[in-house]
Amino acid sequence: MLRAEVEERAAGEAAAAGLSEAAHLELLELCEEQFTHLEKLQNEIILCEPEFSENLQEQSVNGLIATEAELKQWLSVEPSLLPSNSEILLQAGKEEMLKLCSELEMVVSCYEAKRDKLKETKELEQKWLEEKKKVLVAVTNHFERLKMEKEKFSGHSILLDTKEKIQKMKAYHEKLMETLGDVLEVHVPLLQNETSSSKKKKVLMNKALETPHDPYVTIDHTFWPPYVEMLLRHGIAVRHQENNFKIRLENFF
């Protein structure tokens, strides 16, 4: 069945190629000879196949040896053209050339697509390079401008800048002092009556003289806190060791 299909296909190709009757017959005879030879080889292979062996390793080794021997035999055979008719050879060569041309066209198409892709990549890379060059030029110009400004920066300008900073510090100091004055005015007000300080000192002195065994005076709201702090800092009065809200005059003898 396979032989009939091949012969029918060969006849169709010969008719389509416009071969003569003699070339057509020669091609059919060549196909018949090749199939006969193929059937003979298949029969020989079937007859030469070894019987099934339970030792799979030995069977594999024998198959490998047979395959190597067959390979050496085929390598020693020189290939030769099967048909001798020039008309058949010309048609076969024509078909191979057409096939080769088709393959070459596919290769050319692939390389053209690759060339277009590389061209597009090249354009993008060139655009990126131009942008980087522009950035480099801009940075270089900026650096040169800063360098020139630094060279022009004289000692006079440094002095003016220092004076300006001093003026700012003075203004900040004045503002800070004003804020501090406001805070003291709110939280540490001055005495409304200047004679109250002498009265407090008189109270401390009378307490020390009248009750020397208990000279401490209790601090209440009538005692101005800054005045009490001044007495303690200057060593005029001392606090009670157990009660911080009591003070007495320091012993001066």
Side-chain angles (χ1 to χ4, degrees):
M1 183 177 179
L2 180 60
R3 179 185 300 180
E5 290 179 358
V6 173
E7 290 178 354
E8 183 179 355
R9 181 179 178 184
E13 292 179 353
L19 296 176
S20 62
E21 186 68 22
H24 184 200
L25 293 175
E26 184 178 351
L27 186 59
L28 290 177
E29 291 178 359
L30 183 60
C31 291
E32 184 70 25
E33 291 177 1
Q34 293 301 319
F35 268 103
T36 303
H37 183 62
L38 182 60
E39 289 177 353
K40 181 179 179 182
L41 292 176
Q42 288 178 346
N43 293 330
E44 291 179 356
I45 292 173
I46 293 173
L47 294 174
C48 292
E49 285 184 354
E51 295 181 357
F52 178 76
S53 176
E54 294 182 357
N55 192 344
L56 297 178
Q57 184 177 1
E58 182 180 356
Q59 186 176 359
S60 300
V61 172
N62 294 334
L64 181 61
I65 294 173
T67 303
E68 290 179 352
E70 185 177 358
L71 177 60
K72 291 179 181 179
Q73 183 178 0
W74 279 108
L75 290 175
S76 63
V77 176
E78 295 183 1
S80 60
L81 293 175
L82 295 177
S84 58
N85 192 318
S86 60
E87 187 177 358
I88 297 175
L89 295 176
L90 178 62
Q91 184 61 30
K94 182 179 179 181
E95 292 178 357
E96 288 296 327
M97 289 298 295
L98 291 174
K99 182 179 179 182
L100 180 60
C101 289
S102 178
E103 293 176 354
L104 290 176
E105 288 177 357
M106 293 177 62
V107 173
V108 171
S109 178
C110 292
Y111 273 96
E112 287 179 350
K114 186 175 181 180
R115 180 197 61 189
D116 296 339
K117 183 65 177 179
L118 291 175
K119 185 178 180 181
E120 182 180 356
T121 304
K122 179 183 177 182
E123 292 176 355
L124 292 175
E125 293 291 338
Q126 288 179 346
K127 184 178 179 181
W128 178 83
L129 181 61
E130 292 297 330
E131 292 177 354
K132 293 301 179 183
K133 286 182 178 179
K134 291 180 181 178
V135 172
L136 179 61
V137 172
V139 171
T140 304
N141 294 335
H142 183 66
F143 174 76
E144 294 295 334
R145 185 169 63 255
L146 292 177
K147 186 177 180 180
M148 293 176 63
E149 291 178 357
K150 183 178 179 181
E151 292 175 355
K152 293 179 180 180
F153 202 67
S154 61
H156 180 67
S157 59
I158 295 176
L159 180 61
L160 293 177
D161 184 63
T162 305
K163 288 183 177 180
E164 183 179 358
K165 291 181 178 179
I166 292 174
Q167 292 295 331
K168 290 182 179 179
M169 290 298 296
K170 287 182 177 180
Y172 176 74
H173 180 263
E174 292 177 357
K175 184 177 180 181
L176 187 63
M177 293 303 294
E178 291 178 359
T179 305
L180 181 59
D182 296 338
V183 172
L184 291 175
E185 184 177 359
V186 174
H187 298 282
V188 189
L190 296 175
L191 285 173
Q192 300 297 329
N193 188 0
E194 295 182 358
T195 59
S196 62
S197 61
S198 60
K199 291 182 179 180
K200 299 302 180 185
K201 285 190 287 185
K202 188 176 180 179
V203 170
L204 290 172
M205 292 173 64
N206 293 333
K207 185 68 174 175
L209 293 174
E210 294 175 358
T211 56
H213 60 281
D214 186 18
Y216 290 94
V217 176
T218 302
I219 300 173
D220 56 12
H221 65 281
T222 60
F223 284 80
W224 191 46
Y227 179 70
V228 174
E229 188 67 23
M230 182 192 69
L231 295 176
L232 295 172
R233 285 180 179 271
H234 288 81
I236 299 173
V238 294
R239 288 186 184 276
H240 194 278
Q241 294 181 356
E242 298 179 357
N243 190 350
N244 292 329
F245 293 98
K246 289 183 177 183
I247 61 173
R248 67 171 176 82
L249 285 177
E250 181 66 85
N251 296 323
F252 296 101
F253 54 85

